[in-house]
Amino acid sequence: MLAKRIVPCLDIKDGKTVKGINFVNFRDAGDPVELGAQYSRAGADELVYLDITASHEGRKTFTELVKKVAANISIPFTVGGGINEMKDVDRLLSAGADKVSINSAALRNPDLIEDIAKNFGSQVCVVAIDANFENGNWICYLNGGRIATDKSLFAWAAEAESRGAGEILFTSMTHDGVKDGYANKALATLADSLHIPIIASGGAGKKEHFRDAFTSGKADAALAASVFHFGEISISDLKQYLLNEKINVRI
């Protein structure tokens, strides 16, 4: 059985790590290179860096940041934000990223998933899905949770897999930053219907929430931000707790 992964996520805005609640009200969480190096040393399995305001001017800055991160950590990391075409993927992988995460661009142009998988391999292509639970349905959103689409979470995840996505990173906007636990029912539905790894995101507040994402939610990895950034949970304590709960993690 593959080990479950613990994945700190660093949202980058103007070169700094920030964290919000329900995709708004951001506060500063520190230097992204320094934080990444700390997590690498602390036993994180992977990192995710998201350029959440990926404006055209910010892309050069972000590429430089990716180079610095690659030079300072010893674990795989995924980058996302503003990736719209193959040259963006090439630029970020060349800067040292291991995988790219695409979200809005994939919804607007699903062929991009196939292009990335074909040119770089499925393992490089993480399709991130931001979805909100509304009137009994999980609705997918574009542009960092700002624009609703007509796609539902489960149908879109299945299409992404069929087009070559290597992993699905599902963020519940309903649960984001609230620290009440992950969207385990939706996660389990994804895990049961797909054949690729599912990364849980949105809702971590205590160690039990990670356990539940792996057991009830059947997730392969659990991503979190503020509980790590603000020292509420240490990665080593979390992994020891999960081991005690009979969940296979790398120590």
Side-chain angles (χ1 to χ4, degrees):
M1 187 179 150
L2 284 175
K4 303 293 188 181
R5 290 172 283 147
I6 301 298
V7 185
C9 178
L10 297 91
D11 289 342
I12 309 301
K13 187 173 187 279
D14 305 324
K16 289 184 180 151
T17 312
V18 295
K19 183 62 193 116
I21 295 174
N22 300 125
F23 283 42
V24 291
N25 302 325
F26 293 106
R27 60 176 172 147
D28 191 348
D31 178 80
V33 180
E34 229 167 79
L35 267 179
Q38 280 172 29
Y39 292 142
S40 178
R41 290 192 297 271
D45 297 294
E46 294 182 18
L47 298 174
V48 171
Y49 282 85
L50 298 176
D51 185 354
I52 60 169
T53 53
S55 64
H56 187 63
E57 301 76 28
R59 287 190 191 163
K60 289 194 187 77
T61 316
F62 193 57
T63 308
E64 287 310 307
L65 178 67
V66 169
K67 285 180 184 168
K68 284 181 194 159
V69 170
N72 281 276
I73 70 169
S74 55
I75 55 175
F77 71 107
T78 301
V79 295
I83 297 169
N84 297 302
E85 53 190 347
M86 294 301 286
K87 70 177 184 188
D88 296 326
V89 179
D90 196 35
R91 172 172 53 80
L92 292 165
L93 294 177
S94 298
D98 297 276
K99 307 179 205 175
V100 294
S101 166
I102 53 172
N103 189 335
S104 302
L107 279 160
R108 290 194 177 100
N109 172 24
D111 291 346
L112 183 60
I113 302 170
E114 291 172 39
D115 291 342
I116 295 171
K118 222 174 280 172
N119 285 276
F120 299 103
S122 282
Q123 79 285 350
V124 159
C125 185
V126 179
V127 172
I129 304 176
D130 298 331
N132 202 38
F133 194 64
E134 300 166 15
N135 305 317
N137 286 314
W138 284 97
I139 305 298
C140 298
Y141 272 70
L142 290 162
N143 288 29
R146 293 179 187 89
I147 302 168
T149 71
D150 59 357
K151 300 257 192 194
S152 78
L153 166 65
F154 305 117
W156 172 232
E159 182 182 341
E161 179 183 48
S162 73
R163 287 176 177 271
E167 289 181 277
I168 298 292
L169 166 52
F170 161 49
T171 300
S172 164
M173 293 167 60
T174 318
H175 295 71
D176 177 66
V178 181
K179 300 186 179 178
D180 242 351
Y182 294 92
N184 293 321
K185 202 173 163 196
L187 284 165
T189 303
L190 285 171
D192 287 340
S193 58
L194 303 182
H195 305 92
I196 55 176
I198 309 297
I199 306 167
S201 169
K206 51 189 185 179
K207 295 173 201 167
E208 290 81 359
H209 294 154
F210 290 86
R211 175 199 65 199
D212 295 346
F214 293 137
T215 53
S216 310
K218 304 181 185 179
D220 299 278
L223 178 147
S226 57
V227 291
F228 296 140
H229 299 341
F230 303 119
E232 293 160 40
I233 297 175
S234 85
I235 291 168
S236 56
D237 286 354
L238 173 59
K239 286 196 163 186
Q240 195 53 59
Y241 165 80
L242 292 170
L243 272 186
N244 294 344
E245 293 288 318
K246 308 286 186 287
I247 291 164
N248 182 22
V249 289
R250 288 186 204 90
I251 291 287

